[in-house]
Amino acid sequence: MSGFIGFFVSALFYLSPVIAILVLWKKGRCKPSNLAISCGFVWLGIGILVSILPELTQLWWIALAVWVALMLIDLVIVLAIPKLEVERVLPTRFAIDQESVVELKISNCSRFPVKVRVYDGLPEIAESDGLPWSGGIDAKKHLKLEYPVRFRERGMWEVDAAHIEYRGLLGFWTRQLRAGETQSTRVYPNYEPVVQFALLAMENSPEQMGIVLKNRAGMSKDFHQLRDYQLGDTLSKVDWKATSKKRHLISREFQEQRDQTLILAVDCGQRMRAVDGDIPQFDHCLNAMLLLSYVALKQGDKVGILSFGGEERWLPPVKGVSSMTTILNHLYDYQTTTSPSDYAEAAERLLVRQRRRAMVVFLSNVRGEDGADLIEPLRLVRQKHLTLLANLREKEVMDRMDEPVVSLDDALAVGATQMYLDDRAAILKELHEHGIQSVDATAQELPVALANAYLAARDAV
């Protein structure tokens, strides 16, 4: 009996490091590092060697004593290190599929330098090439870590507390913890083209972006000012009353019409869920809508937004460049649905919401089978408003037409693609016969093409 008790006590003593490791690991406070585990295997190897060469028993005991002592010393150090403090600085907003920089300030308040491994609490739809990050922080110092992050979906998202892992001074233990606050952030459609256009407009060179702002003086109906007669002015421009007072010819100068209304009707149906590049087609449409909205507001027009295809939302027309914030906050959480695109329902809601004449832009992805469901609703809208269809062309389809044909399957694929494009072209042609303009462009071309189409058509409103 005494022999059994002695064996049990000896086994408990030998296994005490392993038991301590398991207890601390389960509590989540600390876990052994690879160095500690490697030392355990070395000690196990020495034990196997002792079974062959009993004269090495003393070496086995010394190795155990050293391993346990170092583990205990390092454990005390790890537990004595105060919890690291983390402060996060998020940008005021993110744009979908665009990199922005997040800053983390990690403070080490202890008297010991630590080696840390950091991964911020990003949501699943965010990705970063700068995480996880590993490095050292000196005692009583702090570290500023900047890393790029890209969000793949719009909406309101939460960034949780950061995951911090740091080692003890001897490297036998690592401690894991969560530090910092949970913060919320909004991911908007890509507004970078808007910023680019605004900067170019300040330099009077928006044509560098491909957007042509034409001077239509004399073609619109809004009076701007009186000026001296210039060679080439028509007699209809002469203000005879002012001429009689000044006793020399005075002409009236006109400017582009302002205070017009632009309504953007965006399709939120199932077809817009297809991915083009890294983001869905729907997000490409929202990006184009932002640029078009800014151009229209810059021209002095009002902009309203209507959604259809399962998502029924309405933003009454707003005016002024400062209204871009309102439009951004309205669009950032738009989501597609699995519902079909009901153009008739969209036309009915639009005619009820917008009674005054306006320019209406439908943004969708039209296919050949949509003819019967699309043409009549848009024709009804055309009777009251100037109507434009922005049709998003799939880049993959266009790329398929450029691929070499080396087999029968390739030939059939190209033939089917051409039939698909012909059906789309037939619908656009029929719409044109009803006085409905269209823009058919890829996601990369759509923002600039749509802005130019608006500028070309706005005088007809």
Side-chain angles (χ1 to χ4, degrees):
M1 184 66 178
S2 59
F4 175 77
I5 295 176
F7 174 77
F8 179 78
V9 172
S10 300
L12 187 63
F13 176 76
Y14 297 152
L15 295 177
S16 58
V18 178
I19 295 173
I21 289 172
L22 294 176
V23 171
L24 290 171
W25 197 340
K26 187 172 183 180
K27 287 185 176 181
R29 298 181 62 186
C30 303
K31 70 175 184 178
S33 66
N34 292 334
L35 175 62
I37 296 174
S38 299
C39 289
F41 280 110
V42 171
W43 179 66
L44 180 61
I46 295 175
I48 295 174
L49 188 62
V50 167
S51 64
I52 301 174
L53 302 173
E55 60 271 17
L56 297 179
T57 301
Q58 188 176 2
L59 176 63
W60 180 69
W61 280 99
I62 294 173
L64 174 61
V66 172
W67 181 41
V68 172
L70 293 178
M71 290 281 287
L72 290 176
I73 293 172
D74 199 45
L75 178 60
V76 172
I77 294 175
V78 168
L79 296 178
I81 294 176
K83 184 177 179 181
L84 299 181
E85 298 178 358
V86 174
E87 297 179 15
R88 182 191 302 109
V89 179
L90 283 176
T92 54
R93 61 172 65 98
F94 288 88
I96 186 172
D97 205 36
Q98 298 295 312
E99 282 192 352
S100 296
V101 176
V102 176
E103 179 182 305
L104 286 179
K105 180 182 177 181
I106 308 173
S107 300
N108 176 21
C109 301
S110 72
R111 294 173 296 174
F112 306 101
V114 293
K115 294 183 178 180
V116 299
R117 190 168 183 266
V118 181
Y119 190 88
D120 208 357
L122 298 174
E124 293 183 358
I125 52 88
E127 55 188 25
S128 174
D129 295 333
L131 296 177
W133 180 89
S134 299
I137 307 178
D138 294 332
K140 302 292 184 178
K141 299 291 184 179
H142 66 267
L143 169 74
K144 284 189 176 180
L145 169 64
E146 294 183 348
Y147 66 90
V149 62
R150 183 195 306 266
F151 282 82
R152 300 189 304 273
E153 293 184 19
R154 290 170 294 100
M156 179 74 77
W157 299 99
E158 286 190 348
V159 181
D160 293 331
H163 299 259
I164 306 290
E165 181 181 273
Y166 59 91
R167 291 186 179 184
L169 189 62
L170 302 179
F172 284 93
W173 293 89
T174 61
R175 189 176 185 184
Q176 295 176 327
L177 53 88
R178 302 290 296 275
E181 299 179 350
T182 298
Q183 295 175 275
S184 298
T185 186
R186 291 182 177 183
V187 181
Y188 291 94
N190 184 13
Y191 48 82
E192 290 300 321
V194 175
V195 176
Q196 181 183 357
F197 176 80
L199 294 175
L200 292 174
M202 291 175 62
E203 300 174 359
N204 296 318
S205 56
E207 65 277 359
Q208 293 184 22
M209 194 174 177
I211 298 177
V212 182
L213 297 176
K214 297 180 180 179
N215 182 12
R216 298 182 179 85
M219 296 178 61
S220 58
K221 299 179 181 179
D222 285 354
F223 173 77
H224 179 48
Q225 63 182 2
L226 293 175
R227 58 170 174 79
D228 290 341
Y229 179 86
Q230 297 178 358
L231 186 64
D233 288 349
T234 61
L235 291 178
S236 61
K237 280 188 174 182
V238 176
D239 189 305
W240 297 107
K241 186 176 181 179
T243 297
S244 63
K245 290 182 178 180
K246 297 290 185 179
R247 298 193 177 184
H248 64 272
L249 291 175
I250 301 295
S251 295
R252 290 187 296 267
E253 186 176 76
F254 297 89
Q255 64 180 359
E256 295 183 56
Q257 292 181 351
R258 305 175 75 85
D259 292 328
Q260 301 184 55
T261 302
L262 171 67
I263 303 296
L264 303 175
V266 59
D267 184 359
C268 300
Q270 58 185 354
R271 285 190 183 165
M272 306 301 289
R273 300 167 71 92
V275 176
D276 191 335
D278 295 329
I279 61 176
Q281 291 181 339
F282 182 70
D283 286 286
H284 288 297
C285 281
L286 295 185
N287 298 342
M289 289 171 61
L290 286 184
L291 180 59
L292 178 56
S293 297
Y294 184 82
V295 172
L297 294 173
K298 192 75 174 176
Q299 296 293 107
D301 292 343
K302 301 176 182 178
V303 177
I305 299 173
L306 175 82
S307 64
F308 64 96
E311 182 89 355
E312 297 184 2
R313 295 172 63 177
W314 165 250
L315 175 66
V318 294
K319 184 181 179 182
V321 175
S322 60
S323 297
M324 278 302 298
T325 302
T326 302
I327 293 175
L328 274 169
N329 290 330
H330 179 77
L331 286 177
Y332 87 94
D333 59 348
Y334 266 42
Q335 299 296 336
T336 54
T337 70
T338 56
S339 302
S341 305
D342 192 340
Y343 299 100
E345 184 266 344
E348 181 181 349
R349 288 178 54 220
L350 176 64
L351 293 174
V352 172
R353 296 279 191 179
Q354 183 64 32
R355 297 186 181 276
R356 294 184 59 186
R357 180 168 173 78
M359 180 177 180
V360 179
V361 178
F362 283 88
L363 295 101
S364 185
N365 180 9
V366 176
R367 300 180 183 178
E369 61 268 25
D370 294 328
D373 298 327
L374 174 69
I375 294 176
E376 184 59 23
L378 265 60
R379 191 186 66 80
L380 292 175
V381 175
R382 175 66 181 86
Q383 294 176 359
K384 184 72 178 291
H385 307 288
L386 178 65
T387 307
L388 172 68
L389 173 66
N391 196 26
L392 191 61
R393 189 191 313 158
E394 299 96 330
K395 184 177 182 298
E396 290 185 1
V397 174
M398 305 310 299
D399 291 343
R400 185 67 186 87
M401 295 296 295
D402 297 332
E403 293 180 3
V405 178
V406 296
S407 65
L408 177 60
D409 289 340
D410 293 338
L412 293 174
V414 170
T417 303
Q418 187 60 55
M419 292 177 61
Y420 171 79
L421 295 176
D422 290 344
D423 290 342
R424 285 167 57 104
I427 289 183
L428 299 182
K429 181 180 179 181
E430 188 172 354
L431 288 173
H432 184 71
E433 293 173 354
H434 288 285
I436 300 169
Q437 304 177 48
S438 63
V439 173
D440 189 35
T442 62
Q444 292 71 28
E445 301 167 348
L446 184 62
V448 173
L450 191 54
N452 283 327
Y454 153 77
L455 291 171
R458 69 184 300 268
D459 284 323
V461 177

